[in-house]
Amino acid sequence: MRRIVLILLTLGLLPSLLLSGGEVHHPTTQIAVASFPIVTIHDIQYISPDSLAVADSIQNTDPGRWRLQASPYLDDTVVVTAVVVVPCHVLTFTAQGWTLLLRDTAANSNRWGGVLVRIADTTQAKADGFENARRGDVVRLTATVTEFPMNSMNSTTQLVPVAGVPLEILAGGQPLPDPAMLTVDSLYHGTYPTGSINYSSGEPYEGSLVEFRNCTVTSYINTARGTWAMID
């Protein structure tokens, strides 16, 4: 059976199915903001192979070194231009708030090219225009780079929009990349939760579209949030 899967929270937990869609072409709002560095999603996500190799070797035995797999822009506020893969109100695995998925505008951007946007204050986000974004829109946002959960070797890089800075919609109808074909051991060796995370080959696909084929679900991890374990 063919499944398109979104790597969301941790390389140790297998994610929810991604089902999304929508129309494009929406109004743009712009305001002047403070000067923050302009970066790409690749810049935010890229981790050196040496750091990931160390993460592979220590796993979670030394949580104090959790930044080995964290964004080099952690706690920085940046300006990012990206394509909307999943807009608001589609991903509902979180207890509250809104979640979007963005990808880099560069070609072949599945590796180091995806990132989640997490919004807690939905009232402010609605005023800032985040509900206007649709799948395939090119957007520009000002956000702070965070990791969740903090101090964890299984943290996920997330962008938290700066309140009061509207989302700019620059274009619509952009094509999205095909998912990358992976095997389960690209992310995890052994049977969850007694196996080991494969940071070196899995971390580049955090927040990206990937596809697994001929997999067998071995257990449900959290039915409320749509997570399960599987093998191929």
Side-chain angles (χ1 to χ4, degrees):
M1 180 170 59
R2 188 167 184 239
R3 297 180 187 271
I4 297 178
V5 179
L6 169 66
I7 300 176
L8 290 177
L9 295 180
T10 148
L11 296 180
L13 296 180
L14 294 177
S16 307
L17 287 179
L18 172 62
L19 302 172
S20 61
E23 298 177 354
V24 295
H25 187 61
H26 308 281
T28 299
T29 304
Q30 298 186 26
I31 65 171
V33 297
S35 179
F36 296 112
I38 298 172
V39 301
T40 65
I41 293 176
H42 184 281
D43 295 334
I44 293 168
Q45 290 283 36
Y46 181 77
I47 308 294
S48 74
D50 289 345
S51 291
L52 295 178
V54 175
D56 285 334
S57 67
I58 69 172
Q59 294 291 304
N60 201 32
T61 61
D62 187 358
R65 303 187 70 185
W66 70 279
R67 286 183 181 237
L68 285 166
Q69 50 80 60
S71 170
Y73 284 86
L74 180 61
D75 296 329
D76 288 350
T77 299
V78 298
V79 178
V80 180
T81 299
V83 179
V84 177
V85 177
V86 182
C88 296
H89 308 304
V90 175
L91 297 175
T92 59
F93 65 92
T94 53
Q96 59 185 1
W98 294 344
T99 302
L100 297 84
L101 179 68
L102 305 181
R103 65 164 284 254
D104 217 325
T105 55
N108 302 317
S109 60
N110 272 333
R111 282 178 57 87
W112 308 113
V115 71
L116 290 172
V117 177
R118 281 291 295 138
I119 298 169
D121 186 348
T122 57
T123 300
Q124 180 64 57
K126 186 171 184 176
D128 291 338
F130 279 84
E131 281 189 308
N132 296 330
R134 297 292 183 266
R135 180 178 170 91
D137 282 354
V138 179
V139 299
R140 181 162 55 216
L141 72 157
T142 302
T144 300
V145 180
T146 67
E147 295 279 338
F148 181 84
M150 294 285 284
N151 302 308
S152 169
M153 287 294 290
N154 293 335
S155 70
T156 299
T157 302
Q158 302 180 343
L159 300 182
V160 176
V162 174
V165 180
L167 180 74
E168 299 180 55
I169 300 177
L170 307 178
Q174 298 301 302
L176 299 177
D178 292 331
M181 184 68 68
L182 298 181
T183 57
V184 171
D185 63 5
S186 300
L187 310 182
Y188 196 83
H189 296 301
T191 302
Y192 180 84
T194 58
S196 60
I197 297 170
N198 192 342
Y199 291 97
S200 290
S201 62
E203 187 72 21
Y205 294 100
E206 180 184 81
S208 296
L209 291 175
V210 302
E211 184 175 327
F212 301 95
R213 294 185 179 181
N214 302 316
C215 294
T216 300
V217 175
T218 57
S219 64
Y220 294 106
I221 297 170
N222 188 323
T223 55
R225 297 193 174 189
T227 56
W228 66 89
M230 64 186 183
I231 57 174
D232 57 8

